[in-house]
Amino acid sequence: MTTDDVAEKVPGRKARGLWTGIAAAVAVVVLVAVALVAGQHYYTRLGDGLGEATQASTHAAIGGPFTLIDQDGRTVTDESFRGRYMLIYFGYTFCPDVCPTSLIRNTEALDLIGDKAANVVPILITVDPERDTPAHLKEYVKFFADNMVGLTGTPDQVAAAAKAYRVYYAKVDDKDGDAATYLMDHSALSYLMGPDGRFVQFFRHELDAAEVADRLRKLL
Ligand code: NI
């Protein structure tokens, strides 16, 4: 018995065939959507995956002047931190996992290097200035370290800082239509900048605290 025979003998078989076709079309659309999302994440990971070998060549291009607002509402620039190392992470306080993980990692790494950490300022620059007000940042950064600085600004100020550090970020459309609970897609590197404000090295999100501490010991 062939499938055509079955189609003739079973009532509604043709209708079911139509639905099978629709289901297949829906499956294709879903697969394409998944591929697009995966591609976007891969693109983001490319930025995170730049190896140390390429760091020298990107040295001159990472970092630069910024003007932002700290957690106490004061205007600060990159020059405000001259004479100290900056360990900068771009993220946002509503981030469910990646940002807290990176910030805890950075804090632990600085704890591990002891006295050498005294001249390093851990900094969170938000990519979500819409929700991350100075007051909100102030509540957030103190969970990680007493000396952590939280920086926000106007959307233009934040965009300029992110551009200087080649940081990718974008608001993720909220499918539930709840404007207050959107997520941000963003790259997740931490940047060590020297006392002269120039780029020293970046640390990928995947490194653990001990690995970052090892590198900091050699770099500081
Ligand atoms: Ni995040």
Side-chain angles (χ1 to χ4, degrees):
M1 187 182 277
T2 67
T3 48
D4 284 337
D5 293 330
V6 173
E8 281 169 20
K9 285 173 183 161
V10 180
R13 173 72 191 193
K14 281 184 179 164
R16 279 203 290 277
L18 176 64
W19 283 111
T20 303
I22 290 170
V26 168
V28 167
V29 169
V30 169
L31 282 174
V32 168
V34 167
L36 285 173
V37 169
Q40 187 185 8
H41 279 247
Y42 178 67
Y43 175 77
T44 305
R45 278 167 171 269
L46 274 181
D48 289 0
L50 292 170
E52 267 111 77
T54 63
Q55 293 210 14
S57 60
T58 55
H59 188 125
I62 294 178
F66 60 73
T67 301
L68 294 163
I69 312 294
D70 75 7
Q71 72 269 34
D72 293 312
R74 293 175 299 214
T75 297
V76 299
T77 72
D78 53 302
E79 292 186 357
S80 309
F81 300 95
R82 286 292 185 276
R84 290 175 290 171
Y85 286 89
M86 299 185 285
L87 184 56
I88 302 179
Y89 181 79
F90 286 79
Y92 68 114
T93 69
F94 285 81
C95 183
D97 46 27
V98 175
C99 292
T101 304
S102 284
L103 292 170
I104 289 168
R105 189 274 313 269
N106 287 352
T107 296
E108 288 178 352
L110 291 174
D111 285 347
L112 284 171
I113 63 170
D115 291 345
K116 278 195 161 188
N119 204 31
V120 183
V121 187
I123 299 174
L124 166 65
I125 299 180
T126 185
V127 294
D128 183 19
E130 193 179 320
R131 289 180 298 190
D132 284 340
T133 60
H136 194 80
L137 279 172
K138 187 167 187 166
E139 286 300 308
Y140 187 76
V141 293
K142 71 184 183 191
F143 285 117
F144 299 98
D146 290 339
N147 66 336
M148 188 176 286
V149 173
L151 299 179
T152 185
T154 66
D156 283 348
Q157 287 174 325
V158 168
K163 188 179 178 192
Y165 282 81
R166 297 187 180 186
V167 168
Y168 160 84
Y169 67 100
K171 201 170 180 175
V172 178
D173 287 334
D174 184 36
K175 288 152 195 81
D176 300 330
D178 185 346
T181 58
Y182 61 86
L183 297 177
M184 302 292 294
D185 194 10
H186 65 96
S187 45
L189 299 177
S190 294
Y191 303 87
L192 181 68
M193 308 301 288
D196 58 0
R198 297 179 72 172
F199 173 73
V200 177
Q201 192 169 109
F202 60 69
F203 308 113
R204 286 178 295 114
H205 172 71
E206 290 78 5
L207 296 177
D208 65 22
E211 289 170 318
V212 172
D214 282 346
R215 294 185 189 197
L216 287 173
R217 282 191 197 96
K218 290 171 192 152
L219 293 165
L220 297 175

